[in-house]
Amino acid sequence: LAAQTLSLRAAKALLATDAHTRLVLLERISNLRLNFNQQLQLIDYAVDICTIENTRAAALFEEDRFASILEDPKANLPQKGKRVLELLRARRHPSLTGAEHIFQTRVARLRLPQGVAIKHPPFFEDPCYRLEIAFRNGRALMEKLKALYELEGLLKIGDPWAED
């Protein structure tokens, strides 16, 4: 806390864990130099996974999947931190990450015009999706809208659990 490398919220969250878990998570936070938001994510995901799977934090991070990320000489610390958090998130929320993958695959197949993106709502909790279009002027907007109108694959955009 004094060195400002650990957030107060993360410290409070760590105090709610047992000494062993606290030590392991603090080591991961320190080694990966996670920012304050990432610290909370790591703690939340790891504690949830350990509770659900009835395992210890040390065993979780000793798994080959995590060890290979942490020992990767080609990745820098921010890349390693991001990959660790992605792996934890996927393990904690497998249905959500699966749905996101299906959705992203469907959107990628569309070959949207450059500057156009389709986004899903967080956790797919809202029935509405979002279309973002970047353009310089009205003519560019018209061209992109026309290209979108002509994409037959747009009919397949929707909830990932619906049939493709």
Side-chain angles (χ1 to χ4, degrees):
L1 287 173
Q4 297 182 347
T5 57
L6 183 69
S7 76
L8 184 57
R9 289 179 59 201
K12 286 180 183 178
L14 287 171
L15 287 174
T17 65
D18 63 87
H20 174 267
T21 301
R22 186 171 32 243
L23 183 65
V24 170
L25 295 179
L26 189 54
E27 181 181 355
R28 291 293 164 257
I29 289 169
S30 296
N31 290 347
L32 292 170
R33 295 189 194 136
L34 300 176
N35 68 38
F36 290 171
N37 289 333
Q38 291 172 326
Q39 293 172 11
L40 288 172
Q41 288 177 341
L42 181 109
I43 294 166
D44 288 344
Y45 291 148
V47 168
D48 285 354
I49 291 167
C50 289
T51 301
I52 292 166
E53 297 179 6
N54 194 27
T55 190
R56 297 190 55 126
L60 176 66
F61 288 106
E62 287 172 358
E63 292 178 5
D64 289 343
R65 294 180 278 190
F66 291 102
S68 66
I69 292 171
L70 298 171
E71 296 169 5
D72 183 356
K74 296 178 183 174
N76 61 33
L77 288 178
Q79 292 168 333
K80 290 179 183 183
K82 183 179 179 190
R83 288 174 42 204
V84 165
L85 288 172
E86 287 171 351
L87 189 57
L88 287 169
R89 181 179 182 270
R91 187 151 165 187
R92 175 61 184 95
H93 302 289
S95 297
L96 174 61
T97 52
E100 288 173 337
H101 178 73
I102 291 168
F103 182 82
Q104 290 165 355
T105 301
R106 288 180 183 170
V107 170
R109 281 190 212 143
L110 290 174
R111 297 189 176 142
L112 295 169
Q114 187 173 353
V116 176
I118 298 176
K119 309 242 173 146
H120 64 81
F123 305 102
F124 294 97
E125 290 177 344
D126 188 326
C128 296
Y129 295 84
R130 194 169 79 218
L131 173 68
E132 292 180 5
I133 303 174
F135 57 93
R136 288 184 176 267
N137 55 41
R139 181 176 309 282
L141 175 60
M142 294 270 298
E143 289 172 4
K144 289 182 184 191
L145 289 172
K146 183 179 179 191
L148 284 170
Y149 180 76
E150 294 172 353
L151 284 176
E152 290 181 30
L154 285 178
L155 295 174
K156 294 182 181 182
I157 294 299
D159 295 332
W161 45 89
E163 288 191 33
D164 192 9

